[in-house]
Amino acid sequence: MSHISVPREPLSRRAVLRGLGATVALPFLDAMVPSARAAQGKAFPTRIGVLFMPNGVHPDKWTPEGTGKDFKLSPILEPLERHRGDITVLTQLGHANCRGGDGHYAKTANWLTGTEIEKTTGKNLRCGVSMDQIFAQQAGGQSRFPSLELGTDPVMTGVDFNVNYTMLYGSHIAWRTPTSPLPPEINPRFVFDRLFRENAGQRKASALESKSVLDLVLADAKALRGRVGLDDQRRLDEYLESIRSVEQRIEADIARVASGENLDPAARDAISQLDQRITTAMAQQKDPGSRLRLDHTEHSRLMMELMTLAFWSDSTRVSTFMFGWAVSGKSFTFLDGVKHSHHESSHHENKQEKLEQYQKINTWHVEQFAHLLDRMKSIKEGEGTLLDHTLLLFGSSMRDGNAHSPKNLPLVLAGHGGGLQGGRHLVSDTDTPMCNLFLSMLQLGGVKADRFGDSTGALKGLV
C-alpha cells in the first residue's frame, strides 16, 4: 500500500517515500506548490553551505587582478573560470578577535563565529554560536535536519603543546552554543543512512544491509510517479538515480579501501600505523567511522554530493564541510610534483619548492569546489538551478599558513541564493570584519538580523 496520496491541495513539502527501514525525502516538485506561486519563483528556499580549507593559501597566487566585474582570476582560482558569473571573490575580510591566539586553533574554531576562543588544554571549550547555526535556528525547523556537519578527518583529541590549545578546537567550525561544537561526520555511509534510512542501526542488523534504499521505497515511488506530471516524473527519476549512484560509489570505495587496492606501500604503511592508533581509540570511543581512509578526492566528492542531495531533498538547508582538520597533515603525493604533506607545505618558509607544492594543493581544493558548483548547476529547480537557490562559502581561516595571519582571508562566495549577483571581485576596506559577510549571508537567507559577531553592518557592495 502506498504511503503517498496526491490531494487536490499542493503536495506537502514534507511528503516522503517510505519502505521497510527507509525514508527518502523528495526534491521540490511542481505538485508541491500552486502554479502561480511556482511561476513567481517563490517555491525554493535559500540554502547555505560552507566549505573549509585548512592551512591557508599561497598568498601571492590567490588574489585576482582587477576589481568589480573587470577582473582576472588568479592561478589558484583558475578552475573557477567556467563559473565566473556565479562567484564573488572577497578580499580584505578578516577576524580581529583571532589575532591574539597562536597557531591554527585560535583561527579555525571561530572561523564562523568571529569571536575569541577560550584558551584551554582541557574540555572547557568556549567559542561562540556559528553563522550556520544561527541560520539553522531559524530555517532548520522547516526541514528534517536542522543542519548537516561533514568532514574527512576524525575529531582530534589531546593537546598541542606548541601553542597550549586542546586539539578539539581544530576539528570543529560549527557551534550550536558557545560551549557546544558540532563534530563533522566523516563516514559517507553513515551520512547516507542518516539521510535516507529511518534507522541506520537497523541496516547492519538485518537483511536490509544488502538492499538498495531505492528498492525499499520502490512501491511508493511508482505510486507517486503515476500521479504527477511529466516534468515532475523527470525530476523524480533524476533525483532517485542520483541517490542510487551515491550509494553505489560509497559501497565501491569502501570495498576498494578494504582490499588496499591502488595504495602505494608508503601510504599503506602510514594508513596501517594510523589505523592501529585509531583502532585503540575506537575501542574506547566506539566510533568506527574514524577508521575510514578513503581516496581523498573521492571521499571529498562523496561528501559534497551528500550535501547536494541533502539540499536537493530539503533534508536540511544548511551544511558545513571540512576538507581537513585545522593542522591537516594529509598527504597530497597523489598530485604530480607534491612531496610534502599539506601542513608541511603550508610552512613554506618562502622556499620556492614548497610554495609550488602549496599552490598545487590549494588548486586541488578549488577544483573540488568547482566540481560542486558543476553538480549544483546541473540540478534544475523551477526556472533556475539548485545553485541559483544556494549560497556557498569556500575559504580558509588564515591567509598564509606560514604566517598564520587571520587578515585578508581567502574567500569565495558562490551561488545566487537570496538574489545574489556574481561575477565580481569585491575588495572591501582593509580589515573589514568577516562577520559583515556573515550578516549579509543571513539576511540573504531570510534571517531577520542586524548584527552578528563583531559586524559593523552588512557587507558593503555585496548586494
Side-chain angles (χ1 to χ4, degrees):
M1 179 180 295
S2 172
H3 297 271
I4 285 192
S5 61
V6 181
R8 293 183 180 180
E9 294 297 319
L11 186 68
S12 170
R13 272 299 304 127
R14 294 184 179 274
V16 296
L17 301 177
R18 294 187 186 277
L20 182 59
T23 301
V24 176
L26 293 171
F28 285 97
L29 303 174
D30 289 344
M32 292 176 175
V33 290
S35 58
R37 189 181 181 198
Q40 294 171 5
K42 297 180 180 179
F44 307 106
T46 295
R47 297 82 156 190
I48 291 180
V50 178
L51 295 92
F52 170 79
M53 171 180 58
N55 296 324
V57 298
H58 184 331
D60 298 332
K61 301 294 183 179
W62 173 270
T63 306
E65 297 178 11
T67 61
K69 294 186 176 181
D70 184 18
F71 70 97
K72 178 183 178 182
L73 287 171
S74 64
I76 293 175
L77 294 175
E78 279 184 1
L80 293 172
E81 181 62 44
R82 63 184 180 274
H83 300 297
R84 182 187 182 92
D86 303 302
I87 64 171
T88 299
V89 183
L90 302 156
T91 296
Q92 293 299 347
L93 303 185
H95 282 319
N97 286 323
C98 299
R99 296 175 194 169
D102 295 329
H104 297 241
Y105 306 98
K107 287 102 178 175
T108 297
N110 48 13
W111 187 52
L112 294 182
T113 72
T115 57
E116 188 173 1
I117 68 173
E118 179 80 18
K119 187 169 186 177
T120 177
T121 57
K123 296 182 179 179
N124 53 319
L125 307 179
R126 179 169 291 276
C127 184
V129 180
S130 53
M131 176 271 291
D132 60 298
Q133 291 305 301
I134 295 294
F135 185 72
Q137 289 169 13
Q138 297 207 25
Q142 303 175 61
S143 54
R144 289 180 63 209
F145 304 104
S147 61
L148 189 64
E149 290 74 43
L150 306 172
T152 65
D153 285 336
V155 171
M156 303 300 288
T157 60
V159 178
D160 188 333
F161 288 106
N162 292 314
V163 289
N164 288 322
Y165 279 103
T166 172
M167 291 191 287
L168 289 169
Y169 275 134
S171 298
H172 303 86
I173 57 173
W175 292 75
R176 185 174 57 84
T177 74
T179 58
S180 304
L182 295 170
E185 175 55 68
I186 71 171
N187 189 321
R189 178 184 284 163
F190 289 174
V191 179
F192 184 92
D193 286 351
R194 182 186 177 199
L195 289 173
F196 301 115
R197 294 183 186 272
E198 290 180 334
N199 182 352
Q202 186 180 25
R203 184 180 197 273
K204 296 182 178 181
S206 72
L208 297 180
E209 183 172 5
S210 62
K211 283 184 172 289
S212 164
V213 68
L214 297 188
D215 293 336
L216 300 175
V217 300
L218 184 60
D220 258 8
K222 286 183 176 180
L224 175 61
R225 197 177 186 282
R227 299 181 184 184
V228 298
L230 291 177
D231 286 345
D232 278 351
Q233 290 180 20
R234 176 187 57 76
R235 293 188 187 100
L236 185 62
D237 290 345
E238 181 184 3
Y239 172 65
L240 295 179
E241 181 56 37
S242 294
I243 292 176
R244 186 180 297 278
S245 174
V246 171
E247 193 172 38
Q248 291 171 343
R249 286 167 61 193
I250 290 170
E251 297 299 333
D253 213 37
I254 289 176
R256 179 192 61 75
V257 171
S259 69
E261 179 185 349
N262 295 330
L263 293 178
D264 62 70
R268 190 180 297 113
D269 289 345
I271 290 171
S272 177
Q273 293 173 16
L274 182 58
D275 191 40
Q276 291 175 10
R277 289 172 52 198
I278 293 176
T279 299
T280 301
M282 295 285 294
Q284 300 172 343
Q285 298 177 4
K286 296 182 179 181
D287 181 8
S290 294
R291 288 183 289 185
L292 277 179
R293 279 297 177 269
L294 305 179
D295 170 88
H296 190 42
T297 301
E298 177 65 357
H299 194 176
S300 298
R301 291 190 175 189
L302 278 172
M303 289 312 202
M304 290 188 292
E305 180 69 13
L306 287 163
M307 178 189 289
T308 300
L309 288 176
F311 286 165
W312 193 3
S313 64
D314 203 34
S315 295
T316 192
R317 294 182 182 177
V318 59
S319 179
T320 56
F321 171 59
M322 297 181 72
F323 279 103
W325 79 295
V327 194
S328 175
K330 194 175 295 293
S331 171
F332 278 85
T333 55
F334 61 87
L335 298 178
D336 289 341
V338 176
K339 303 176 183 178
H340 302 294
S341 71
H342 192 181
H343 186 233
E344 185 178 358
S345 296
S346 73
H347 284 274
H348 49 76
E349 302 173 292
N350 291 318
K351 295 179 180 178
Q352 188 61 31
E353 179 189 12
K354 282 191 173 182
L355 280 168
E356 290 174 358
Q357 295 179 54
Y358 191 26
Q359 180 180 337
K360 289 181 179 180
I361 294 172
N362 296 154
T363 304
W364 176 90
H365 284 90
V366 175
E367 288 171 350
Q368 308 320 304
F369 183 51
H371 177 81
L372 176 61
L373 301 189
D374 286 334
R375 183 70 178 108
M376 288 196 174
K377 285 173 73 172
S378 74
I379 297 172
K380 301 298 182 184
E381 281 194 337
E383 297 300 316
T385 69
L386 181 59
L387 187 62
D388 289 330
H389 308 128
T390 303
L391 294 171
L392 291 173
L393 178 63
F394 168 84
S396 190
S397 58
M398 56 184 65
R399 175 69 179 184
D400 177 2
N402 198 59
H404 293 168
S405 173
K407 293 185 176 184
N408 192 13
L409 297 176
L411 302 167
V412 179
L413 184 63
H416 303 285
L420 179 69
Q421 299 298 310
R424 291 177 296 162
H425 175 208
L426 181 59
V427 181
S428 301
D429 294 336
T430 302
D431 292 336
T432 294
M434 186 175 168
C435 286
N436 288 10
L437 168 64
F438 295 153
L439 179 60
S440 290
M441 291 178 66
L442 290 170
Q443 291 174 348
L444 286 167
V447 175
K448 297 184 184 301
D450 55 17
R451 183 175 178 82
F452 179 85
D454 64 352
S455 66
T456 57
L459 185 62
K460 295 179 181 179
L462 184 64
V463 178

